[in-house]
Amino acid sequence: MKLLKRLSEAFGGSGHEEEVAELVAAELKPLCGKVSTDTLGNVIGVKRGKGRQAGRKRIMLAAHMDEIGFIVSHIDDKGFLRVHPAGGFDPRTLMAQRVTVLGKGTHRLTGLLNVAGKPIHLQTSEDRKKDLRVGSFFVDLGLPAETVKKKAEIGDRVIWQRGFTRMGDCVTGKALDDRIGVYVMIEALRAVEGNRHDIYAVGTVQEEVGLRGALTSAYEIAPDIAIALDVTLAVDTPDAEAQSRVTELGKGVALKIMDSSSISDAKLVREFRALAEEHEIPYQLEILPRGGTDAGGMQRVRGGARVITLSIPVRYVHSVNETAHKDDVQAAIDLLAVYLSQ
Ligand SMILES: [Zn+2]
């Protein structure tokens, strides 16, 4: 899981995925005949199939390299930064977090997210009733305004800080959404043997702001079959009702039936289920009421593609403590490798 640690700790806000892209390209190179980067920044590795050209299908894999983050929108006279979100944040997850500001040139500044207003000691009961919004937060860099303005400017990226670590049977860190999908893609490719069909492994950009990289790369590749690799919610935590769990940690890779961006191809779902059963790979079926994956983008380019999402169940999605079970990660790698080896 050393590679997953490196992927998780790399910085890659939407539209600024270069650091992750470099890692992905380096990993794909020995596994694919050809690796390229397109105009938008998607990294595309091609592993040609051994079948006859005429019968060969194009299978596209997509795992997004971007993570949710912020962009500096204002620097005030005291050197405090205001930030604009790029991706969906729950403001409650921002309390007391440390962030890294990717400043001018090579400046990397540690900062603190804080809510504008009074500390608890000075709050009135009226103050306490105020809604917490993402826009309520500012970043303190611990520097005078002149220094801040030398090192940072409007448009700089802000990513939260959190080291990747093992915890019990799980792994936890920031940006497992979707570096864990990137990891599954790379490890499955490593395990593939004798693929008949052409495999296009794509690290996509800008998924968190609207599946943008998946759309352009799928247009170029024109896949017959497209498989998104992404996290899904595991709401198997206290006070969650059984019917709202979506998935559970440790119960295997999730085969997505639908979410709000796509309905998986029914034949593909059946095929993956049959393979999982044949190879005794644990799996669960998933319906996500809200949220989407790159499958939603890949499905609707050109004449359309048959899509499915293989999901890795994750607790606390879109927080610094995204948490996955090691067995579920392995199940996702095994199932994808078995499918691609056909
Ligand atoms: Zn994702």
Side-chain angles (χ1 to χ4, degrees):
M1 296 244 171
K2 267 192 199 140
L3 173 61
L4 182 54
K5 177 176 165 69
R6 279 163 63 214
L7 287 165
S8 164
E9 291 178 356
F11 297 117
S14 304
H16 198 264
E17 298 89 350
E18 296 86 348
E19 191 179 312
V20 186
E22 218 171 280
L23 270 173
V24 174
E27 291 296 324
L28 288 181
K29 241 166 224 153
L31 305 172
C32 299
K34 204 179 130 212
V35 178
S36 58
T37 303
D38 73 7
T39 313
L40 212 56
N42 299 298
V43 177
I44 304 167
V46 188
K47 188 177 168 69
R48 293 269 171 233
K50 300 194 175 18
R52 276 189 304 111
Q53 179 90 47
R56 257 193 261 159
K57 289 196 178 101
R58 283 190 299 276
I59 303 176
M60 174 174 173
L61 312 176
H64 69 89
M65 302 187 293
D66 60 319
E67 67 190 287
I68 55 171
F70 297 95
I71 299 177
V72 175
S73 58
H74 177 72
I75 303 175
D76 75 13
D77 295 342
K78 298 196 127 186
F80 294 117
L81 312 179
R82 301 309 286 239
V83 291
H84 184 76
F89 283 96
D90 176 347
R92 293 172 304 168
T93 63
L94 300 177
M95 296 298 281
Q97 293 298 339
R98 285 184 192 168
V99 293
T100 300
V101 177
L102 308 173
K104 293 183 196 173
T106 54
H107 287 301
R108 293 205 161 180
L109 311 165
T110 290
L112 302 174
L113 274 174
N114 274 288
V115 185
K118 301 175 203 157
I120 185 97
H121 319 69
L122 306 178
Q123 283 170 10
T124 62
S125 54
E126 275 310 299
D127 290 334
R128 271 174 222 156
K129 280 190 208 134
K130 278 188 199 150
D131 275 351
L132 190 62
R133 290 175 299 109
V134 175
S136 314
F137 287 83
F138 66 90
V139 177
D140 182 350
L141 291 171
L143 288 169
E146 316 85 76
T147 318
V148 169
K149 285 175 183 168
K150 268 184 212 146
K151 295 184 174 181
E153 62 188 341
I154 290 172
D156 285 347
R157 303 306 170 119
V158 181
I159 298 290
W160 47 23
Q161 290 181 358
R162 185 59 59 106
F164 174 91
T165 187
R166 287 164 189 263
M167 180 189 73
D169 298 328
C170 299
V171 290
T172 180
K174 75 165 186 68
L176 294 197
D177 178 8
D178 183 31
R179 308 290 159 68
I180 211 160
V182 173
Y183 176 75
V184 165
M185 178 171 79
I186 292 167
E187 293 305 319
L189 267 187
R190 223 187 288 285
V192 165
E193 276 173 33
N195 56 301
R196 270 190 300 139
H197 303 293
D198 293 337
I199 303 168
Y200 294 80
V202 186
T204 60
V205 295
Q206 301 193 37
E207 189 269 355
E208 295 289 358
V209 290
L211 321 178
R212 296 172 193 172
L215 281 164
T216 59
S217 53
Y219 186 89
E220 196 57 35
I221 293 164
D224 301 297
I225 291 166
I227 304 166
L229 307 161
D230 209 332
V231 306
T232 192
L233 303 184
V235 199
D236 54 345
T237 44
D239 281 357
E241 297 158 330
Q243 70 269 26
S244 319
R245 280 179 194 150
V246 187
T247 63
E248 292 179 67
L249 239 54
K251 296 265 171 88
V253 53
L255 305 183
K256 194 185 290 281
I257 307 288
M258 75 171 291
D259 60 25
S260 53
S261 77
S262 71
I263 295 173
S264 298
D265 180 86
K267 229 176 107 200
L268 275 178
V269 175
R270 277 202 298 277
E271 227 179 299
F272 272 96
R273 279 188 85 166
L275 274 178
E277 272 157 29
E278 184 191 335
H279 294 269
E280 296 180 354
I281 299 166
Y283 74 94
Q284 46 193 321
L285 298 174
E286 173 215 344
I287 293 175
L288 182 67
R290 242 186 75 206
T293 73
D294 277 342
M298 298 187 288
Q299 185 178 48
R300 60 188 85 178
V301 295
R302 296 180 182 251
R306 295 171 58 208
V307 297
I308 187 169
T309 301
L310 299 189
S311 307
I312 301 97
V314 166
R315 285 184 189 154
Y316 324 120
V317 172
H318 285 198
S319 83
V320 283
N321 290 324
E322 292 180 332
T323 300
H325 195 290
K326 281 187 264 180
D327 294 350
D328 298 340
V329 182
Q330 194 55 50
I333 295 168
D334 292 345
L335 185 57
L336 183 59
V338 163
Y339 179 81
L340 295 175
S341 297
Q342 298 182 99

